Amino acid sequence: MPALSRRLVAEMLGTFGLVFFGCAAIVVNAYPGAGLGLSGIALVHALTLSVMVSATMYISGGYLNPALTIGLAVARRLDAKSAVTYIVAQLIGAVLAAFMVKLIYPVGVARIVAYGTPLIAGTVSMQQAIGVEALLTFFLMTAVLGTAVSPIAPRIGGFGVGLTLFFCIMVGGPLTGPSVNPARAFGPAIVSGVMTGHVVYWIGPIIGALIAAVLWDRVLLPPLAKIAEG
């Protein structure tokens, strides 16, 4: 396994890419005539995550998400020390990415969409928002464990994870954003100062990731002892 410093740089870089291009897509969509729409924004997020996970998975695991990092630690695929430092690196990468969006795009447009900060719809309660984030993150974690972690899964890089993010955004976009990743919400929220309902983007994804992690660790993944035996 690469040294911890290399793994942390990979996590920071991968998260930077996801947050930068995801937030930038939302800002660009605010320009008259851009016409990206929900599907375009979802596709940018999905393709970026696919590439970033594929690029970093053989260095750090390509987690790029504090909720998934916590879930993988619970599933005994990551030690506690690495998990904590990964989360710090991911949050730093997210904040740097959001600052870069602020530097590149005109404030008059970017501020309208809070630099890509996910927001909860006015018709959705706090409890419903947590439920949406938890459910969608459950399936994102399932994609990670089923396509990237499982030793018997076909080697498709991060594209199974990216595709899952695509339909998560398509379904949850009008409701919570969605973030399904505390770092994706944290970076632009810090830069924009828009922290309304921000706790949802931590509680929901962590709950969803933990439920998926326990299910896969106890039921669906091959036992670690068998993996060690080869």
Side-chain angles (χ1 to χ4, degrees):
M1 179 179 290
L4 181 58
S5 59
R6 287 182 60 202
R7 288 183 279 146
L8 294 180
V9 171
E11 286 294 308
M12 185 168 62
L13 175 62
T15 308
F16 180 99
L18 172 63
V19 175
F20 174 77
F21 286 104
C23 292
I26 292 173
V27 173
V28 168
N29 188 59
Y31 279 81
L36 279 180
L38 179 61
S39 59
I41 292 170
L43 186 60
V44 170
H45 279 82
L47 291 177
T48 304
L49 183 61
S50 297
V51 173
M52 290 296 99
V53 171
S54 297
T56 59
M57 66 188 304
Y58 294 110
I59 302 172
S60 65
Y63 302 152
L64 317 185
N65 183 330
L68 301 188
T69 301
I70 292 170
L72 286 160
V74 169
R76 299 171 295 166
R77 266 63 185 182
L78 185 67
D79 64 272
K81 176 184 176 181
S82 294
V84 171
T85 54
Y86 274 27
I87 291 170
V88 172
Q90 291 157 0
L91 294 178
I92 291 173
V95 172
L96 291 175
F99 270 118
M100 187 59 68
V101 171
K102 183 177 182 178
L103 288 173
I104 290 177
Y105 292 96
V107 174
V109 175
R111 187 178 293 168
I112 294 173
V113 292
Y115 301 103
T117 305
L119 299 172
I120 301 169
T123 55
V124 177
S125 70
M126 187 77 74
Q127 292 78 10
Q128 288 173 320
I130 290 173
V132 169
E133 288 289 317
L135 178 62
L136 298 181
T137 308
F138 173 89
F139 285 102
L140 184 64
M141 186 68 174
T142 289
V144 170
L145 291 165
T147 68
V149 174
S150 176
I152 58 176
R155 301 294 91 183
I156 58 174
F159 286 87
V161 182
L163 287 174
T164 306
L165 182 59
F166 177 80
F167 59 71
C168 284
I169 294 175
M170 289 299 295
V171 170
L175 304 176
T176 63
S179 163
V180 296
N181 182 340
R184 171 63 185 83
F186 181 79
I190 289 295
V191 171
S192 67
V194 178
M195 304 293 290
T196 305
H198 184 70
V199 67
V200 165
Y201 299 108
W202 285 87
I203 296 175
I206 290 174
I207 290 173
L210 288 176
I211 294 173
V214 171
L215 174 64
W216 279 81
D217 181 49
R218 304 288 176 83
V219 180
L220 299 175
L221 284 175
L224 286 172
K226 290 186 178 181
I227 295 174
E229 292 171 3

